[in-house]
Amino acid sequence: MKRIVLFALSLLLVCCNSEDKTITTPATIEVSVDKVGATKVWFSVKSSSPDAAYIYRGVSDFDDMEDIVKFTDSDQVIASKYLEYLSEIYEMAYTNDIQISSFQDAFCFKGNRSFSMVHVGSNMKHRIIVFQVNPDTRTIIGEPVGVEFTTQELPDIEMDFDVKIDGDVLTIIPSDPEQEYIWDYESAIYLESEPLIDMYNYLYDLTDMYEQYGFADQMLSKGTETYVFSKDNTRMVKGMTYYIAIAPYANHEIAAIPQIWSFEYLAGQ
């Protein structure tokens, strides 16, 4: 994240406290879909017992193309395969001496919760499966609960951008001066072998974080924007390749596939 220094996060997200009492008798679990976007969904889980540990898993009809799980599989099959997958991850970490928490702490939730899932496919059928578990034996308790929903179609706002770099100055000129958009850039050394995909994921995750913490509005741009690299980012490296990603923004989501440019930074020392 280059345009603003927010804060450094180094968090171990603990879903449950391993010292808490965990029941091994079936609880009543209810799942409701609260809001559906094009690439995100917000949902809630209600449990009849605050001591019941549970896990959730999302699948889509795109998963029919994969060998691990199919959308047409039953909730029980999907839950069993996912629990087996998480157990393998846990055992692998334990074998490599990097285990820092219990299986319950790492993968389970308790109580009434609200969640969001991101990077879900637009205009697709999806299902959320929630299932109670015994974290010690890693077995499913009772029957998994599944709810289906269909994501909205991506707005795909038609918008072009004229990107100019003159020495140390970046200028972005949008084709629609009234449409809000979001942009950022990253060094090529932090991207993997597919920079276009990486930059899409980078901008998507960045905007989702902005939304979660309530300052997305401050990060949106409208009209022509000018940015001076040396003024706003003292860590720019001369001769380094950078990628810029820009996309229109609407309804709390990126509203089109980001447009991406690369450039070599030639200013500075």
Side-chain angles (χ1 to χ4, degrees):
M1 188 169 50
K2 293 295 181 290
R3 289 193 290 148
I4 184 172
V5 178
L6 302 173
F7 43 80
L9 294 177
S10 179
L11 297 177
L12 170 61
L13 297 180
V14 178
C15 305
C16 302
N17 187 324
S18 59
E19 298 300 322
D20 291 344
K21 174 185 176 183
T22 301
I23 64 171
T24 57
T25 54
T28 300
I29 292 177
E30 299 178 10
V31 185
S32 59
V33 175
D34 304 320
K35 181 182 177 183
V36 179
T39 64
K40 302 178 185 179
V41 61
W42 294 260
F43 65 98
S44 299
V45 177
K46 290 184 178 180
S47 173
S48 63
S49 172
D51 298 319
Y54 60 86
I55 296 171
Y56 74 83
R57 168 76 158 112
V59 293
S60 73
D61 50 7
F62 179 77
D63 292 322
D64 281 335
M65 301 175 63
E66 300 182 2
D67 295 330
I68 298 176
V69 67
K70 290 179 169 53
F71 184 76
T72 52
D73 287 340
S74 68
D75 293 344
Q76 183 73 39
V77 168
I78 292 172
S80 296
K81 289 183 178 180
Y82 189 52
L83 185 57
E84 181 181 351
Y85 170 72
L86 294 180
S87 295
E88 291 175 356
I89 293 177
Y90 181 81
E91 292 299 333
M92 185 180 300
Y94 185 82
T95 301
N96 289 279
D97 295 325
I98 58 175
Q99 184 58 40
I100 56 177
S101 61
S102 68
F103 183 86
Q104 176 173 287
D105 289 338
F107 300 116
C108 300
F109 298 91
K110 282 185 177 179
N112 300 334
R113 296 274 191 129
S114 293
F115 301 95
S116 66
M117 287 198 308
V118 298
H119 288 286
V120 299
S122 61
N123 197 25
M124 284 185 180
K125 290 191 299 182
H126 299 264
R127 192 153 91 253
I128 298 169
I129 297 102
V130 180
F131 53 99
Q132 186 183 347
V133 297
N134 181 330
D136 293 327
T137 60
R138 296 176 221 165
T139 54
I140 296 173
I141 299 173
E143 294 294 324
V145 179
V147 293
E148 289 194 17
F149 62 94
T150 301
T151 46
Q152 300 176 20
E153 189 170 357
L154 192 70
D156 198 20
I157 295 175
E158 293 187 7
M159 191 173 184
D160 292 319
F161 300 91
D162 184 10
V163 176
K164 300 179 180 179
I165 298 175
D166 184 8
D168 200 37
V169 180
L170 165 68
T171 303
I172 300 173
I173 305 173
S175 59
D176 183 350
E178 298 303 318
Q179 171 62 47
E180 292 181 317
Y181 62 93
I182 193 160
W183 69 277
D184 214 307
Y185 63 98
E186 183 58 276
S187 168
I189 64 173
Y190 294 111
L191 306 177
E192 302 295 337
S193 57
E194 297 290 342
L196 299 184
I197 296 176
D198 292 342
M199 280 304 295
Y200 167 78
N201 290 332
Y202 171 77
L203 191 65
Y204 184 104
D205 292 337
L206 192 65
T207 53
D208 182 64
M209 184 189 71
Y210 290 155
E211 287 287 349
Q212 287 187 47
Y213 286 96
F215 47 78
D217 289 344
Q218 294 96 308
M219 302 309 299
L220 297 177
S221 300
K222 183 186 288 188
T224 299
E225 173 139 337
T226 300
Y227 182 85
V228 181
F229 290 107
S230 61
K231 176 182 177 182
D232 297 300
N233 181 11
T234 59
R235 299 177 64 184
M236 294 292 290
V237 178
K238 184 176 181 180
M240 183 75 71
T241 297
Y242 293 84
Y243 284 85
I244 299 173
I246 311 175
Y249 205 72
N251 299 325
H252 306 285
E253 294 189 77
I254 292 175
I257 300 300
Q259 298 175 42
I260 298 170
W261 295 259
S262 65
F263 70 97
E264 182 181 355
Y265 185 64
L266 299 177
Q269 302 297 321

